[in-house]
Amino acid sequence: MKRSFLTISLFLLLGLQFSFAQSYEVAGIEKSDKEDMQYEVLGKVGSRYWIYKNVGGVATIAQYNDRMQLVKQNDLSFIKTTNLNGIEFITNANNVYVFFQFQVKATVYAAVAELNSDGLLVGSPRIIDSADKINPATRMKVFNLLESEDRQKMVIFSINTTNANSIKVRAITLNKNIENSNDAEISINSTNKKSSLSDFALDNNGNLFCLRNVKQTGMAPAVSLLYLSATGAEVVESPILNNSLLLDDIRIKIDNKAGHVILNSFYATTKKGNIEGLYSYVWDINSKKEILTNANRFTDAVRGLVTNRRNLKNAFDMFYLDKVSTQADGSFVVVSEAAESYSNRTMFSRWDYFYGGAFYNPFMFNYWNRPFGFYPWARFGWGNAFMYNRWMNPYASFGYPSVTYNANNIALLSFDIKGNLQWVKTIDKKQSDQNVDQFIGYGSIENEAGMSFVYHQKQKGVHQLVVNTLSKEGQLVKGNSIILNEKNYEWMPKSLKQVGDHEAILPYQFKNKIGFAKIQIK
């Protein structure tokens, strides 16, 4: 009898541990939360989960408790959505800063407001900067927001390219209390009007980095790394010389601990050729110079790890860089995902828009916890982030009635401090959808255990969230899946937003409504 009691107790304990490890709570759907609703998951403030919603031009903050029950919903009456050009949020433990830009005639204003833990406005919104001579018809987003990794600094910057010979960057640095700590205007000489800036990043010291791209007739673009000092007093340009390599989709990652800027890019050796490998470039912030370049050519053994196709030459052709995770010893892991689409008329190719091509958008920052943006087709507005009706999407396949989106394997590539490839691990998945891409892909949660990848899978009528975790030691472990019991729900894994060490908010669609669920993993 005693043994039986202990056995039962053990099973109950294991059950409680499993419940904590992988679980989810589904919020009810509000009548106004229709599929064309604009929204953003902000995170956890105090004991509540905040979600920004814009329905029919009315902006609100919805607050949910731990059981995902709606507690309150405050109107953001200080925001006039009719002339709103952009809105972004910085979420803290007890407050939220709202950065928004609005247009009055030909002037765009950048403003900031503070919301307390109850979602109420603290004081009045403050104008930070403005830009003149902006065509009101364009609804242009002029100002961009970046936050440093340690969350101690923020920068609002704008780029003026009206003068072909000089690109001007205006950057206003704010501290964690949104107080101005520096105001700088930087001129970058430009003898070629085709020169453009992209992929901005901010280090913990407030220094700004970006890529400068100069188109060249019949040649690969000339690319350089720009360092813009926090004070605006110094500009350093370092050309990225790669000889015969054709770089595509270059991405910046700041390693604050090592004081390095890491650039990674897939490369080919012939125009429109197959992806041959991954090129890495490391720049030291203190010495302000390049300290490492390395081109890792993928062997057939490596190619075979990421695809089941017999033709290994094109194994990496549909993989796009998603994020880079730096390690304490200076090594790093590159995360990429295979993405492709087909329509009844054409197929997207990474080389259709050579360099920065399918993925290129210089002002796509940390959207939906995906630092490098959505999928290649979304970079130009196709598959709009706020359109989920699979039959009414006017952008599907350039207006043609049918397009298929695929999001397949996730490849994890580890490099040592010298940029040498150490290992490759693959998360096998195969996802497809028609006319929209919102219900495929994956989300990620990072904590002390490592990086967890979460994606939706339907198998034999069972819907589940599959969880794979890459540990700090480089072990890829498949965790317990979260079985989803709701019928006719369509989950949006790539819109997953981490809100705690082990928690995330996952949007879903039911019929023509948008709802939210909280998931918890170990």
Side-chain angles (χ1 to χ4, degrees):
M1 192 72 179
K2 183 177 180 180
R3 182 179 181 180
S4 176
F5 174 77
L6 290 174
T7 303
I8 293 172
S9 298
L10 179 61
F11 276 112
L12 287 174
L13 179 60
L14 290 174
L16 287 172
Q17 289 178 339
F18 176 81
S19 175
F20 169 78
Q22 319 284 40
S23 63
Y24 74 110
E25 295 277 356
V26 178
I29 298 179
E30 303 303 308
K31 291 182 179 180
S32 59
D33 293 354
K34 296 182 179 181
E35 60 191 352
D36 60 350
M37 175 182 71
Q38 297 179 7
Y39 66 88
E40 182 173 348
V41 177
L42 305 187
K44 192 172 185 179
V45 182
S47 61
R48 295 174 181 170
Y49 303 90
W50 286 28
I51 298 174
Y52 164 77
K53 301 178 182 181
N54 184 345
V55 183
V58 178
T60 63
I61 294 292
Q63 300 180 37
Y64 296 84
N65 63 18
D66 197 53
R67 298 297 303 273
M68 289 306 290
Q69 298 167 330
L70 183 63
V71 177
K72 63 188 303 186
Q73 191 156 320
N74 296 340
D75 288 345
L76 301 182
S77 56
F78 60 90
I79 295 178
K80 307 299 182 184
T81 58
T82 54
N83 61 354
L84 188 67
N85 289 29
I87 185 167
E88 296 172 86
F89 302 87
I90 298 293
T91 303
N92 299 307
N94 296 303
N95 69 344
V96 168
Y97 294 122
V98 185
F99 292 86
F100 61 103
Q101 48 193 294
F102 60 94
Q103 187 158 355
V104 178
K105 296 182 179 180
T107 302
V108 175
Y109 298 90
V112 62
E114 180 184 358
L115 303 178
N116 63 21
S117 58
D118 291 322
L120 301 176
L121 181 65
V122 177
S124 301
R126 177 168 63 92
I127 301 295
I128 298 176
D129 202 357
S130 65
D132 298 322
K133 299 180 181 179
I134 306 298
N135 185 347
T138 63
R139 297 296 297 271
M140 181 184 296
K141 179 185 177 185
V142 175
F143 300 96
N144 303 277
L145 173 69
L146 286 176
E147 184 181 24
S148 61
E149 185 179 44
D150 63 2
R151 310 201 70 202
Q152 299 300 302
K153 290 183 175 63
M154 293 166 274
V155 64
I156 289 181
F157 67 95
S158 58
I159 303 170
N160 188 331
T161 59
T162 54
N163 185 342
N165 297 318
S166 179
I167 298 177
K168 294 188 181 298
V169 178
R170 177 170 167 78
I172 297 176
T173 305
L174 310 171
N175 61 25
K176 62 180 180 179
N177 298 317
I178 63 168
E179 298 165 337
N180 288 37
S181 59
N182 192 64
D183 188 338
E185 288 191 4
I186 305 162
S187 293
I188 301 169
N189 293 332
S190 174
T191 57
N192 189 328
K193 196 171 183 178
K194 294 181 180 179
S195 175
S196 62
L197 306 181
S198 67
D199 272 58
F200 286 80
L202 183 72
D203 72 6
N204 287 345
N205 294 318
N207 301 309
L208 197 59
F209 299 86
C210 67
L211 296 178
R212 181 179 182 182
N213 320 295
V214 180
K215 291 184 179 179
Q216 302 182 102
T217 305
M219 300 173 61
V223 185
S224 57
L225 174 69
L226 280 178
Y227 160 86
L228 313 175
S229 67
T231 61
E234 186 178 16
V235 178
V236 178
E237 183 169 8
S238 299
I240 300 173
L241 303 176
N242 59 78
N243 299 321
S244 61
L245 303 183
L246 301 177
L247 305 182
D248 176 67
D249 203 32
I250 305 175
R251 296 298 164 210
I252 290 179
K253 173 67 177 181
I254 305 293
D255 186 346
N256 284 290
K257 292 181 180 178
H260 293 162
V261 181
I262 304 172
L263 277 68
N264 289 290
S265 171
F266 287 119
Y267 71 84
T269 54
T270 60
K271 189 175 181 181
K272 295 189 178 181
N274 298 118
I275 293 298
E276 295 287 344
L278 189 132
Y279 174 82
S280 298
Y281 172 102
V282 181
W283 195 84
D284 183 71
I285 298 175
N286 290 326
S287 62
K288 299 181 180 61
K289 65 179 182 180
E290 165 199 321
I291 59 172
L292 172 71
T293 62
N294 199 344
N296 284 270
R297 186 179 181 276
F298 297 140
T299 64
D300 283 348
V302 169
R303 295 172 186 274
L305 294 174
V306 302
T307 183
N308 293 322
R309 298 176 181 176
R310 292 184 178 181
N311 183 7
L312 296 178
K313 289 184 179 180
N314 62 0
F316 279 90
D317 283 7
M318 289 306 167
F319 277 89
Y320 293 89
L321 297 182
D322 194 355
K323 62 176 64 178
V324 176
S325 176
T326 55
Q327 309 301 310
D329 62 355
S331 61
F332 55 93
V333 176
V334 173
V335 181
S336 62
E337 184 182 22
E340 55 188 344
S341 70
Y342 302 88
S343 77
N344 57 354
R345 183 175 179 87
T346 187
M347 182 184 96
F348 285 95
S349 163
R350 79 180 301 121
W351 303 114
D352 287 345
Y353 310 93
F354 179 73
Y355 180 68
F359 256 173
Y360 176 72
N361 186 328
F363 304 120
M364 181 87 69
F365 301 116
N366 297 314
Y367 200 66
W368 293 125
N369 200 28
R370 300 290 291 268
F372 302 151
F374 287 107
Y375 292 118
W377 47 84
R379 293 292 174 124
F380 296 91
W382 306 316
N384 191 301
F386 300 122
M387 286 190 181
Y388 301 110
N389 189 319
R390 60 181 68 248
W391 308 118
M392 297 300 291
N393 184 352
Y395 300 107
S397 188
F398 298 116
Y400 293 94
S402 179
V403 58
T404 300
Y405 296 107
N406 297 322
N408 298 321
N409 292 352
I410 302 170
L412 312 172
L413 301 92
S414 177
F415 298 85
D416 65 18
I417 58 175
K418 295 183 178 181
N420 297 312
L421 182 62
Q422 298 300 293
W423 50 256
V424 177
K425 299 181 187 298
T426 307
I427 298 174
D428 296 321
K429 69 179 181 69
K430 189 173 183 180
Q431 299 168 304
S432 181
D433 208 342
Q434 297 293 319
N435 294 340
V436 290
D437 69 344
Q438 304 306 319
F439 309 111
I440 58 176
Y442 74 96
S444 62
I445 299 174
E446 296 187 52
N447 52 40
E448 72 285 350
M451 183 186 301
S452 294
F453 302 86
V454 182
Y455 65 92
H456 175 249
Q457 181 182 73
K458 180 182 178 181
Q459 193 171 28
K460 295 181 180 180
V462 177
H463 291 261
Q464 57 185 333
L465 295 176
V466 180
V467 181
N468 289 267
T469 300
L470 180 68
S471 71
K472 297 290 187 180
E473 296 73 34
Q475 299 297 316
L476 185 61
V477 180
K478 186 172 183 178
N480 294 314
S481 298
I482 301 175
I483 304 300
L484 304 168
N485 299 313
E486 288 71 22
K487 294 182 179 180
N488 301 319
Y489 277 39
E490 296 188 272
W491 302 90
M492 305 178 189
K494 72 187 182 73
S495 294
L496 177 147
K497 176 70 175 288
Q498 184 171 353
V499 295
D501 288 343
H502 302 272
E503 294 180 327
I505 298 297
L506 177 65
Y508 66 88
Q509 180 174 313
F510 177 67
K511 296 182 178 179
N512 66 337
K513 302 282 188 179
I514 297 293
F516 304 91
K518 182 189 70 173
I519 68 170
Q520 187 177 53
I521 66 171
K522 186 174 181 181

